[in-house]
Amino acid sequence: MKDMTGADAQLVSTGLSRRHLLNSGTALGAYFLLPRPAGAQQQGHDHSKMGLDPGPIIQAAAAAMDMPLAEPEVRRSVNGVLNTTLSCRYAYRDIGGQRLYLRSYEGTSHGPTLRMKPGETLKIRLSNDFPPNRDVLPKDMALPHQFNNTNLHFHGSHTSPSGISDNVMRSMVPGKKYDIEITLPKDHTRGTYWYHPHHHGGADVQMASGMTGAIVVEGDFADVPEIANAKERIMLLSQVVFDGFGMIENFATLFPETATRFLAINGQRRPTIQMRPGEVQRWRLVGSQYQDDFNIELEKHNLYAIAYDGIQLGAMQELKTLLVAPGQRADILVQAGAPGTYELRALPFDQGHPSPVGPLARVVVAGDPMPMKLPAALPKPPFENIKDSEITGRRTVTFSATNPEADAAGHWQEFTFLVDGKAFDPSRIDQRVKLGAVEEWTIRNTHFHDDHAFHIHTNPFQVTRVNGKPQADLQWRDTVIVPRNGGSVVFRSRFLDYTGVFMLHCHMMNHEEMGMMQTVEVYKE
Ligand SMILES: [Cu+2]
């Protein structure tokens, strides 16, 4: 082997030809053609002689890009109950030509899509099949910790936050199984929701690994044929991050604003979406990216929003670009134009630091024309506006943060992320709201550097002002961007039917994990 280059010697030792690697179309081929560290052969790394499998890193066979968009497996309710299991475990995941080894639901990139109706019950037996945690609880709960504990949050649902329902105070530890049972009220809004872990300490690492899944509460726009007849697509957005080993085992892998390697939909880098000229499709976009806003554009096409955060709009919004913050959902109609290939991409956006940019997918318009129409009007939205006369109280919640002097180069431990001047403490109740209250909240963001993404569980809210400016469309949301440097959002919310403790927090998960979260208790006198 003396006359071979190091790379060739490595190819021989793994039983693969250079041609094979060059044809594989993956970035991993290139990885193996890089010079190997001197002495690698002498250290017993000649796998063929040892009879060892060369390991996962050369096995990534999935094409890096341009594969048809795949959607997660669908699980449906039967006779009023969606009964299923979810295993939380490590799995290999091929994405963008990389083979990663990450925490997952069911061993797949994103969990299964759950489809149910208002009034039905979601029963999940969650099996925490992660290995044991190897770190003890920190004294400071604002330090990320114990990445193998988990639980499950039904994001955006209007359900009980207590017991074994949508209770994010539960700890589900490795090696055990847990029952979750969440019943939707009969009048629950119909639309696009999602689930993800919410265990303080490890939720960020788990979500950044792809532990998110869509939930469709079925039946919206049933009387609008232009929407009901449109082909539907679930599209979970993500920022793909990993360390030099293809893993996420350290908070530092997630934290810098420059951590994103590339963007993905449904765990695929730049997949293709087929449409016929004139065809209308309904895309359910889930903002399951762990940290940053996506400012989305489809080349030479407008986007038509019909619902945000699982709540129907009363009028379609025609958009050139669509901003999706972490946690938000947007249901949009897209009507394909002339035959051709169009890029769906994230454009530059200033959220205090630059949002990640890059391709998300390619829309390939081809075939026979399909004459379809956009709806002329949308039905009445599900909620009545909250009137001045309903308001029983007002309060202010302030998000703040400090950046180290070195700023972007600073280590994450030099930042602080606070609500009302304090980091999260699960043993403290921060906001107490009487059952039956209808309140107007002002969320302030005094952090000079970054916008934050306010999210509250259990009850959606209606946004009335942003930076003091009255909002014409009075959108209902469960997650809203609060602009930086003295910015504010005013919303109104009804706390009518569920008591118990739930959370408000920044849905930029790095911030939540470092303490930008509070408890809210709705109590009955
Ligand atoms: Cu934040």
Side-chain angles (χ1 to χ4, degrees), residues 291 399-401 417 445 447 450-454 505-512 516:
Q291 178 66 8
F399 280 8
S400 66
F417 296 94
N445 176 5
H447 185 201
D450 282 311
D451 299 347
H452 292 281
F454 176 93
H505 61 92
C506 179
H507 220 291
M508 300 164 80
M509 293 304 294
N510 288 348
H511 302 167
E512 184 259 23
M516 198 174 245

Side-chain angles (χ1 to χ4, degrees), residues 212-250:
T212 62
I215 304 178
V216 176
V217 182
E218 295 181 321
D220 64 353
F221 301 111
D223 301 328
V224 183
E226 294 87 352
I227 300 176
N229 297 334
K231 182 181 168 60
E232 209 178 288
R233 295 187 188 274
I234 298 283
M235 295 164 67
L236 292 133
L237 307 174
S238 67
Q239 299 169 257
V240 179
V241 285
F242 49 90
D243 65 15
F245 302 97
M247 299 175 76
I248 302 176
E249 296 301 320
N250 193 312

Side-chain angles (χ1 to χ4, degrees), residues 1-6 8-9 41-42:
M1 305 229 297
K2 267 208 174 75
D3 54 348
M4 285 183 175
T5 64
D8 285 331
Q41 293 297 307
Q42 285 75 19

Side-chain angles (χ1 to χ4, degrees), residues 199-373:
H199 196 282
H200 187 58
D204 190 6
V205 164
Q206 292 174 14
M207 287 170 65
S209 302
M211 287 182 68
T212 62
I215 304 178
V216 176
V217 182
E218 295 181 321
D220 64 353
F221 301 111
D223 301 328
V224 183
E226 294 87 352
I227 300 176
N229 297 334
K231 182 181 168 60
E232 209 178 288
R233 295 187 188 274
I234 298 283
M235 295 164 67
L236 292 133
L237 307 174
S238 67
Q239 299 169 257
V240 179
V241 285
F242 49 90
D243 65 15
F245 302 97
M247 299 175 76
I248 302 176
E249 296 301 320
N250 193 312
F251 197 67
T253 304
L254 308 181
F255 191 84
E257 316 294 13
T258 52
T260 303
R261 304 292 189 104
F262 50 85
L263 308 181
I265 298 183
N266 295 349
Q268 291 173 281
R269 184 176 187 176
R270 207 186 72 188
T272 56
I273 298 169
Q274 294 287 336
M275 294 184 79
R276 285 167 52 188
E279 181 185 0
V280 174
Q281 291 190 357
R282 177 194 185 155
W283 295 354
R284 296 178 181 270
L285 299 177
V286 180
S288 69
Q289 70 273 21
Y290 77 99
Q291 178 66 8
D292 295 308
D293 299 339
F294 283 12
N295 186 28
I296 296 170
E297 174 197 65
L298 175 57
E299 198 182 352
K300 294 184 181 155
H301 287 73
N302 289 341
L303 308 173
Y304 298 89
I306 55 172
Y308 290 125
D309 293 5
I311 302 170
Q312 292 175 226
L313 298 176
M316 203 162 61
Q317 285 187 348
E318 184 175 353
L319 305 167
K320 293 276 178 214
T321 60
L322 169 70
L323 188 63
V324 181
Q328 293 183 328
R329 282 85 66 220
D331 283 63
I332 57 173
L333 300 179
V334 176
Q335 183 163 35
T341 297
Y342 305 93
E343 195 135 343
L344 182 71
R345 59 195 165 206
L347 295 176
F349 179 73
D350 181 5
Q351 56 178 97
H353 58 272
S355 301
V357 297
L360 280 161
R362 280 182 167 175
V363 176
V364 179
V365 180
D368 294 334
M370 202 169 180
M372 291 178 77
K373 280 184 181 154

